[in-house]
Amino acid sequence: MTSNVLPFGKAALPRPPVADRRPKVDLVHGERRVDDYFWMRDKANPAVAAYLEAENAYADAVMKPTEGFQGALYAEMLARIQETDVNVPYRQGAHFYYSRTEQGKQYPIFCRRKESLEAPEETTLDLNVLAEGHPFMALGAYAVSDDGALLAYSTDSTGFRQYDLFVKDLGTGVTGLRLAERTGSVAWAADNRTLFYTVEDEATKRQYRLYRHRLGGGRPDELVFEEPDEAFNIGVGRTRSRAWLVLGAGSLTTSEARVLPAGDPFGSFRTLAPRVHDQEYDVDHHGGDFYFRVNDTGRNFRLVKAPLDSPGRESWTEVVPHRPEVMLEGVDLFEGFYVLLEREKGLPRLRVVGFGSGAVQDIPFPEPAYSAFPGPNLEFETRKYRYSYESLVTPRSILDYDVDTRASLLLKEQPVLGGYDRTLYASERLFASAPDGVRLPLSIVYRKDTPRDGSAPMLLGGYGAYGLPLPVTFSSARLSLLDRGFVVALAHVRGGGEMGKPWHDDGRMMKKRNTFTDFIAAAEHLVACRYTSPFRLVVEGGSAGGLLMGAVTNLRPDLFKAVVSHVPFVDVVNTMLDATLPLTVGEYEEWGNPQNRAEYDYIKTYCPYTNLDGKGYPSLLVKTSFNDSQVMYWEPAKYVAKLRTLKTDLNPLLLKTNMGAGHGGASGRYDRLHEIAFDYAFVLGQVGIGR
C-alpha cells in the first residue's frame, strides 16, 4: 500500500511574461512598500490568464504520474454515492417540496407534490437545464409565494456570486424575463403579487438596496431602503408565522431590524430597535410579541420579548438570560413551542421549550463529536421539529422530533454504497493546551486498526474566523483516506465560534495570532499523543482557513509534511489596504483596518504573503478560482509566484486555478469529485501512498 517513491513528475516552472511584470511601489505610514506581483490583478490582460494556465499545465505535468490513481480515487468515491436519490420532502402550505438527483446529471432537480406524497410530481426547477452552456451553475434564492403559484429564484452562472433574479409561474411553467441583477435575499408579501428583493453594490458586493416589485403592475420597481454604511449588509425575509416581513441590516458586530406587516406590502418598514455599536440582534414573531436574540448584556446572547406595538429596548422582557458558558446561536419559534439552538463546551444542543408550560426538552445526541442543524421547518402550526444530525462516522441523518412523545423519528440516513461499516471506525474528542493555557477542542476519526505509534499519516484541518464553528460532518469521500490508514482531525481554534462569541473575540483583530498558535499547539499535541509525526502530517484549510495555512507554514514549516490551501486569504495587508475591493470595508471588524498604524503593524506580523522568507517549506498545493469574488485569484497566484523565488527546498509547489468557477470551486457534483480526487492524490502521494 505504501511506497518510498513519491508519484510525482517533473516539469519546467511557469514564468510570467517579462513585459507584464509591473511592481507597485507605495508609501504606507511612511514605509516604502514594493509589490512585485501587483500586475497579476489585471484580470482583463490575456497574459494573466495565460500565466495561470501555464501554472495549471505545470501542476498537471507534476501530477501526471498520479492520473491513474486519481481515476481510481474518483471511481471509488463515486461508487459510494447513490447517484439517483431523493431528499426528504418538507411541507410548505399545500405542497411537499423536495429535490432529487439523477445518475449522470451534475445538479439537483427541485420538485413538489400537492397535499400528498402520492400525488403527481411537479418539477419546479431543473438546474441541469439552467446549466446548459455554462461551466458553472449555483442556485441562490428559492422562494414560493404563499398560494404556491409563483417561484422567485436566482442563479449564478460564473461563480462570481452575482445572481440574476427570475419569477416562474408554476402553473404554466413559464419563466419571465430577468427581473433584476446582482440580487441577494427575496421575500413574498401575503398578497402573492408583491416581491421584495435586495441588490448589491457592484463595487463592494455588499447587499445595500431593498426594492419592491409588483407583478403585472407595469411600473418600475420601487427603491424602499438603501443602507449607506459600507460596513453593513442588508437582507429581507419573512417570519415563520408569515405575519411579518423583516428587513435586517448588520455589520460583523452590529445589527438592527425593520418590520412591515406581510398583509400591507405597500406600507412602510419601521425600525424595532435602532442600532447600537457592538450590539447584535435578530427578531422573530409569536402572537402579540416580537422575540429578540440579543447580546446586549453578554457576548453569548439572551432571549427577550416585547409587545408588537412597543418593541423598543425599554419594553424588553427577559425570557432566557445570558449565560457565560452557553452560546445562544439561534431561536426557532412555532405556535406551541420554541427551540433554542445552543452550543455548550463546543458542542451543539437543541433545546425544545413549551410556550405556556415552560417544559424543557433536550434532544439527545449519542457521540462525542457531532453536528446538529435545524431543517426546513417552514410550518408554524406543527408539533414536530425537523433537524439533521451527523458525525465523523455517522452519515447525515434527517429526523423529526415529536414534541409530545419526546422521541425522534429517523426519516433518512444518507446512503453510503459499497458496504460501509461504521463499526470499523472510531471518533474522539480531545483537548490540547494553547500556549496561554486555553483548552482547544479537537475532533478525530480513524479506522480502529490504525496504529497509534506515530507512524500513521494525518490530515488536520482548521478554519478559525468570523465566529463560525468548524462543522464536524460526515464525508463518504474521506473514507478513501481513512481506509488507507489516515487519521483525520479538526482543530477548533480561536477565531471560530465553538465556544461562543468570546472564542471569536480571542481570535480576531489584535488577537488574531491566537488562531495560528492554537493550530500549532493542536498539531504538536497530536504528534505528542503519537497519532502521527511531522513527516506524516498534512494540513488543510480554505479561505480564512487558507490564511491559517499560510501563517502556520511561515511560523513552523518543520511541523508539516504538506499543505493543501484552498482559495487562501494570504495577502491580508494589501487587500485590507484597498477599500475598493469587495468585502474589505465590512471586514475591518474582523482583521482590523491597516490605515490605523497599530493595526497595520499587527497584521504585518502574520500576513502570509508579507512574511514569506528564504527557507525550506513543506510541499504545497494551492487552489483558487478565476471568478472568486471573496478571495481574489491574484492572492494565491502572487503568493505562489513570490514563494517560488524564496524557498530553498525541492518540495512540490503547485498552483491550480479553476478558470470557470468561484469561491467554492466546481459546482457540479461530478466535477467536484474530480477536484477531490486530485487533492487526495496529492495528499496520499506526499506520505508515500500511491494506490
Side-chain angles (χ1 to χ4, degrees):
M1 182 174 289
T2 61
S3 169
N4 292 323
V5 180
L6 300 182
F8 295 99
K10 295 182 179 180
L13 291 172
R15 300 294 182 189
V18 174
D20 292 291
R21 291 182 179 177
R22 297 187 298 275
K24 179 184 179 183
V25 181
D26 59 7
L27 285 175
V28 178
H29 301 298
E31 176 183 305
R32 184 176 183 271
R33 302 174 65 256
V34 179
D35 185 359
D36 289 323
Y37 301 97
F38 181 81
W39 60 271
M40 289 189 180
R41 288 179 46 145
D42 188 4
K43 188 176 182 179
N45 184 347
V48 172
Y51 174 59
L52 296 176
E53 292 286 18
E55 282 280 8
N56 282 345
Y58 172 72
D60 290 340
V62 172
M63 292 290 290
K64 188 172 182 57
T66 73
E67 284 182 350
F69 189 29
Q70 291 178 48
L73 288 167
Y74 174 82
E76 69 182 48
M77 290 188 290
L78 181 61
R80 298 189 191 106
I81 295 174
Q82 187 162 298
E83 296 180 69
T84 299
D85 201 2
V86 181
N87 286 334
V88 178
Y90 61 89
R91 183 98 189 214
Q92 182 181 0
H95 293 85
F96 289 93
Y97 291 83
Y98 58 94
S99 65
R100 59 182 178 83
T101 55
E102 293 182 1
Q103 185 174 7
K105 293 186 176 181
Q106 292 266 28
Y107 299 99
I109 301 165
F110 292 84
C111 307
R112 70 179 185 178
R113 297 177 190 268
K114 189 170 185 179
E115 298 295 351
S116 165
L117 294 177
E118 286 70 47
E121 179 180 271
E122 304 172 42
T123 297
T124 60
L125 206 62
D126 187 342
L127 287 190
N128 299 285
V129 174
L130 298 179
E132 291 176 2
H134 301 289
F136 185 94
M137 177 54 59
L139 179 66
Y142 181 92
V144 180
S145 59
D146 289 8
D147 62 2
L150 300 170
L151 170 65
Y153 72 91
S154 62
T155 57
D156 167 24
S157 60
T158 68
F160 199 63
R161 296 194 177 183
Q162 190 162 294
Y163 292 87
D164 293 332
L165 178 62
F166 301 88
V167 173
K168 181 177 181 179
D169 186 321
L170 295 177
T172 65
V174 175
T175 299
L177 298 175
R178 181 175 59 194
L179 183 62
E181 299 177 306
R182 305 192 310 277
T183 57
S185 56
V186 304
W188 288 100
D191 65 357
N192 301 302
R193 303 296 296 170
T194 306
L195 180 68
F196 291 86
Y197 63 91
T198 63
V199 300
E200 69 180 23
D201 179 349
E202 189 170 7
T204 63
K205 287 194 72 64
R206 70 182 181 97
Q207 297 289 317
Y208 79 125
R209 285 180 175 172
L210 176 72
Y211 285 91
R212 176 166 29 215
H213 174 80
R214 176 71 175 177
L215 271 70
R219 297 179 296 181
D221 293 351
E222 177 189 357
L223 176 62
V224 176
F225 176 80
E226 181 171 341
E227 172 56 59
D229 192 327
E230 290 189 31
F232 280 69
N233 278 270
I234 66 170
V236 66
R238 188 98 170 262
T239 61
R240 185 175 286 106
S241 67
R242 312 302 290 168
W244 295 89
L245 291 153
V246 179
L247 171 62
S251 72
L252 293 178
T253 63
T254 307
S255 61
E256 71 178 355
R258 294 168 171 81
V259 295
L260 174 69
D264 182 23
F266 287 90
S268 298
F269 281 86
R270 62 175 170 129
T271 302
L272 295 179
R275 66 187 67 172
V276 173
H277 182 63
D278 274 346
Q279 278 190 24
E280 298 170 86
Y281 74 83
D282 47 55
V283 66
D284 204 346
H285 163 249
H286 182 273
D289 297 304
F290 289 118
Y291 281 72
F292 300 83
R293 186 186 70 100
V294 59
N295 63 353
D296 58 340
T297 63
R299 294 294 286 156
N300 279 342
F301 291 86
R302 64 176 179 144
L303 181 65
V304 302
K305 67 177 181 178
L308 299 182
D309 58 359
S310 180
R313 288 179 172 84
E314 68 282 356
S315 301
W316 288 357
T317 301
E318 188 167 86
V319 179
V320 178
H322 172 266
R323 295 152 293 169
E325 73 283 0
V326 178
M327 172 67 176
L328 181 58
E329 293 186 322
V331 182
D332 286 339
L333 302 179
F334 300 88
E335 184 181 49
F337 65 96
Y338 59 93
V339 180
L340 303 176
L341 314 177
E342 299 179 339
R343 188 173 290 269
E344 184 174 14
K345 297 180 180 177
L347 294 173
R349 179 171 68 196
L350 301 178
R351 173 162 286 185
V352 182
V353 184
F355 275 115
S357 70
V360 177
Q361 311 167 30
D362 286 343
I363 299 177
F365 302 117
E367 295 175 277
Y370 59 87
S371 285
F373 304 103
N377 295 286
L378 301 184
E379 293 294 288
F380 188 62
E381 299 176 6
T382 182
R383 298 296 293 172
K384 294 182 179 180
Y385 185 72
R386 175 74 51 85
Y387 69 97
S388 69
Y389 172 86
E390 61 187 302
S391 75
L392 295 172
V393 297
T394 300
R396 174 162 289 195
S397 306
I398 308 300
L399 304 99
D400 272 351
Y401 182 78
D402 191 308
V403 178
D404 297 317
T405 65
R406 300 192 172 200
S408 290
L409 175 66
L410 177 63
L411 304 176
K412 180 180 180 178
E413 182 178 280
Q414 190 62 40
V416 182
L417 306 184
Y420 170 62
D421 181 357
R422 75 194 65 192
T423 66
L424 298 177
Y425 306 87
S427 174
E428 295 183 52
R429 190 164 186 260
L430 306 177
F431 286 88
S433 292
D436 59 1
V438 170
R439 281 164 53 84
L440 310 168
L442 296 163
S443 303
I444 305 178
V445 63
Y446 51 85
R447 277 185 66 111
K448 292 178 180 178
D449 57 1
T450 301
R452 178 80 171 275
D453 58 6
S455 65
M458 171 179 279
L459 180 64
L460 173 63
Y463 186 71
Y466 303 108
L468 299 175
L470 186 62
V472 180
T473 55
F474 182 81
S475 166
S476 62
R478 187 191 295 134
L479 297 174
S480 291
L481 297 180
L482 300 179
D483 290 345
R484 289 175 170 83
F486 259 78
V487 179
V488 176
L490 304 173
H492 303 287
V493 295
R494 281 176 285 183
E498 284 81 358
M499 303 290 192
K501 290 293 280 187
W503 196 253
H504 177 207
D505 294 338
D506 277 350
R508 70 180 181 97
M509 301 294 287
M510 303 295 277
K511 295 183 178 181
K512 186 61 199 172
R513 288 180 64 90
N514 283 337
T515 304
F516 316 132
T517 54
D518 282 1
F519 189 86
I520 290 170
E524 290 176 333
H525 180 75
L526 292 166
V527 170
C529 292
R530 298 183 64 77
Y531 284 95
T532 191
S533 302
F535 66 93
R536 307 284 280 166
L537 177 57
V538 183
V539 292
E540 180 180 37
S543 194
L547 161 61
L548 171 61
M549 295 299 103
V552 300
T553 303
N554 282 338
L555 291 170
R556 286 294 307 277
D558 60 303
L559 189 54
F560 316 115
K561 171 62 179 174
V563 180
V564 180
S565 195
H566 302 271
V567 291
F569 178 37
V570 284
D571 192 12
V572 187
V573 171
N574 286 316
T575 291
M576 298 309 295
L577 279 170
D578 190 347
T580 68
L581 291 175
L583 307 181
T584 292
V585 173
E587 302 211 346
Y588 287 154
E589 295 175 320
E590 181 71 19
W591 315 107
N593 182 354
Q595 299 296 340
N596 176 302
R597 178 60 189 259
E599 294 174 9
Y600 169 75
D601 288 342
Y602 186 77
I603 294 170
K604 275 181 58 184
T605 68
Y606 67 77
C607 173
Y609 182 67
T610 302
N611 288 282
L612 290 173
D613 199 4
K615 59 188 177 185
Y617 281 83
S619 301
L620 282 102
L621 171 60
V622 181
K623 304 192 74 176
T624 187
S625 295
F626 199 44
N627 294 327
D628 194 338
S629 63
Q630 290 181 258
V631 178
M632 299 298 186
Y633 70 88
W634 60 73
E635 289 201 37
K638 289 167 56 179
Y639 172 81
V640 169
K642 183 177 179 180
L643 184 55
R644 289 205 192 283
T645 69
L646 294 172
K647 75 189 196 82
T648 59
D649 59 87
L650 298 177
N651 295 324
L653 171 59
L654 307 181
L655 174 66
K656 188 74 171 172
T657 304
N658 188 323
M659 302 300 290
H663 196 63
S667 57
R669 56 178 179 155
Y670 298 110
D671 293 341
R672 191 180 301 276
L673 273 187
H674 280 296
E675 290 190 337
I676 296 172
F678 184 94
D679 297 350
Y680 280 10
F682 176 84
V683 168
L684 289 159
Q686 284 302 310
V687 296
I689 301 174
R691 60 183 177 88

